[in-house]
Amino acid sequence: GGEKRANDFLCAFLENRYARLIATGESAYLPLVLDLSGEKRLLYFQKYHLHEKRLKKWMEAFLEAKDPAPFEDPGGLTRLIESLYSESGSLRTGSGNVPIVRDPLQVEALKLAARSRFSIVSGGPGTGKTSLMVNILRCMVRVGIPASRMILAAPTGRAAHRMTEALHKNINSILNLQDMDL
């Protein structure tokens, strides 16, 4: 079924039967775009090609900026992370009000995010992406980076909604510096 249709499409594509639907340059606006800029031939929906190119250009400019990394003092970063996971600073607690055990991979991701200007956090459901995001924000606020200099994005509307909920739920912890025993 589906494999045969895909093969039929590829054969017709290679025979140039879809030329009226596929743009190969910047000027034509057709439903599909064939991108030949890399080693591979990539076929996109027009709007996704445009958005991907814009995102790539924005990210390249952002990464080339000369601003320093947000946190360059390793000892201070260690103390800050300890305070985030302390009894009084922990976002979540288990039975007996004991902070939930920190995940070493999350701590490493937190360190990487604190030392760079740009971070991408990904992982499956339940891996702690949202908690990590909140802790990254807590670190950034603690080192004096104003919220107006932070940009958060999510790949889907559902993920953006979850991120917004987590921000609202934890806004006091993010903005309240007293929860960190430094």
Side-chain angles (χ1 to χ4, degrees):
E3 189 174 320
K4 182 178 177 353
R5 285 193 301 266
N7 285 332
D8 291 346
F9 171 80
L10 288 175
C11 288
F13 171 74
L14 293 172
E15 293 169 2
N16 213 22
R17 286 195 251 160
Y18 297 114
R20 69 184 191 287
L21 300 173
I22 302 172
T24 55
E26 298 283 329
S27 60
Y29 185 83
L30 295 171
L32 301 170
V33 174
L34 180 61
D35 187 329
L36 304 170
S37 61
E39 294 179 19
K40 298 178 181 179
R41 298 177 347 163
L42 302 173
L43 188 62
Y44 290 86
F45 286 110
Q46 180 73 251
K47 70 178 183 176
Y48 296 130
H49 185 255
L50 174 69
H51 292 308
E52 184 175 309
K53 284 178 65 176
R54 283 182 181 165
L55 178 62
K56 180 182 177 189
K57 190 175 184 178
W58 178 83
M59 286 172 58
E60 286 171 345
F62 188 81
L63 291 171
E64 290 172 5
K66 302 297 181 212
D67 293 344
F71 208 110
E72 297 182 14
D73 171 20
L77 179 56
T78 300
R79 287 189 303 279
L80 178 56
I81 290 172
E82 289 299 321
S83 72
L84 293 176
Y85 289 100
S86 69
E87 197 168 323
S88 63
S90 180
L91 291 175
R92 299 179 329 180
T93 56
S95 63
N97 214 23
V98 175
I100 291 180
V101 178
R102 69 182 102 181
D103 182 304
L105 293 175
Q106 285 186 21
V107 172
E108 188 60 31
L110 185 55
K111 288 177 183 178
L112 288 170
R115 290 186 187 127
S116 65
R117 299 181 64 249
F118 181 81
S119 300
I120 296 176
V121 176
S122 69
T127 57
K129 297 177 301 292
T130 303
S131 295
L132 179 62
M133 174 205 60
V134 171
N135 277 330
I136 290 170
L137 293 173
R138 292 168 74 194
C139 279
M140 299 298 107
V141 168
R142 181 62 182 97
V143 298
I145 298 172
S148 62
R149 302 249 324 141
M150 298 178 205
I151 299 171
L152 302 173
T156 65
R158 184 176 184 166
H161 181 72
R162 175 71 184 111
M163 191 167 55
T164 302
E165 283 179 336
L167 289 172
H168 285 284
K169 179 181 176 187
N170 294 290
I171 193 69
N172 290 334
S173 178
I174 293 168
L175 297 178
N176 183 3
L177 301 181
Q178 285 74 35
D179 68 351
M180 295 181 211
D181 304 323
L182 293 178

